[in-house]
Amino acid sequence: MTLRLPSPDGTTRPYEPRATPLTLSPGPSPVSRTVFSAAHVVADPYADVSPDSPGSLAAVDWEATLAFRRHLWAHGLGVAEAMDTAQRGMGLDWPTAAELIRRSTAEAKAVGGTIACGVGTDQLGPSATLPQVWSAYEEQLAVVEGAGAQPILMASRALAAAARSPEDYLTVYTDLLRQVAEPVILHWLGPMFDPALDGYWGSSDLDAATETFLEVIAAHPDKVDGIKVSLLDARREVELRRRLPDGVRCYTGDDFNYPELIEGDEQGFSHALLGIFDPLGPLAAEAVRLLDKGDTAAFRTLLDPTVELSRHLFQTPTRFYKTGVVFLAWLAGHQSHFTMVGGLQSARSLPHLARAYELADGLGLFPDPALTAARMKSLLNVSGVPQ
């Protein structure tokens, strides 16, 4: 079929869907890089809730959510659970996140999958004190460690609001690192992903913030497995990567420049913990397995064309990229509906979603192109776009 896709100027354009998908079979985990996909959650479309009603944020379809994680594990990816991509702070409350962590970690153990889980402070209100921030981190850390997953110490809105100096960050993180049972991943999420995190590490000057971040790591390098950097600045990530203590990894969270950062240079490379690897999972895993064989050219040939899609999904306002990720999961057949917790499916425009479909289809990401085209047509019809 030929679809008519809407453009931002109010016109429509014809598009003929791709007839055959890219064939990507399940495979082992890459060995030259450690690769995590941050994974989205699937909402329960039958839950009788609205965005401002009690319990509305906890309406999760657990089986579909876990099935998607099994899909990622089958292709050799690790799962970064209960992170920004799972709508932490944008629809997913802490009680539901805790349940997600427990269920996903149990599923990972059952199938032999790798998992790391987000530890934050999102159970707090807007006026938390520093001791309350520390206690909230400690509570969530206990849940993740108790489940048997690797912790990811996420950037905290509450800490950003309560801290008055870089020393406040040093105090909170140093106390947390002293007590962790196993090495953790430290998470630096830039304000483009969450405006409430502006000035994290005690300064809006990224050079000054970097020094504080490195001071935290240098004080306890044995407790830091790696850092996850999401600043969308490849040069800054490379410079930071080169200053890490021996044995501390850099996991790129740069959804704009990931191929070059994962490939690396003569002085090192980044591992990966990326939201874009939710829709790109099978392709991304296959690309990194090519790096395992030393075939850098083939790695870039496969992964470079995906950057246009990623930059589109993560365009400003970047924090709404989750809408595009879930939209593509629906089109790919990983879930039966395009509904998100908290009603976030409305956060991107129809022309934005249409372009996301076009780019993803061009890459061959949809296993059943006919199903995908039919679903896209149904969305266009209900949105009033003549076909």
Side-chain angles (χ1 to χ4, degrees), residues 195-231:
L197 297 176
D198 186 36
Y200 211 73
W201 303 112
S203 178
S204 294
D205 181 327
L206 290 180
D207 290 335
T210 296
E211 295 306 316
T212 303
F213 187 44
L214 287 169
E215 188 174 346
V216 168
I217 299 164
H220 295 280
D222 58 320
K223 294 296 186 75
V224 181
D225 164 68
I227 62 169
K228 193 265 191 184
V229 185
S230 297
L231 298 176

Side-chain angles (χ1 to χ4, degrees), residues 83 185-189 226-230 251-253 273-274:
M83 299 289 290
I185 298 173
L186 293 181
H187 180 214
W188 185 359
L189 193 68
I227 62 169
K228 193 265 191 184
V229 185
S230 297
Y251 293 90
T252 187
L273 196 166
L274 288 160

Side-chain angles (χ1 to χ4, degrees), residues 153-164:
L153 294 185
M154 300 171 66
S156 162
R157 291 176 181 175
L159 179 54
R164 295 293 175 263

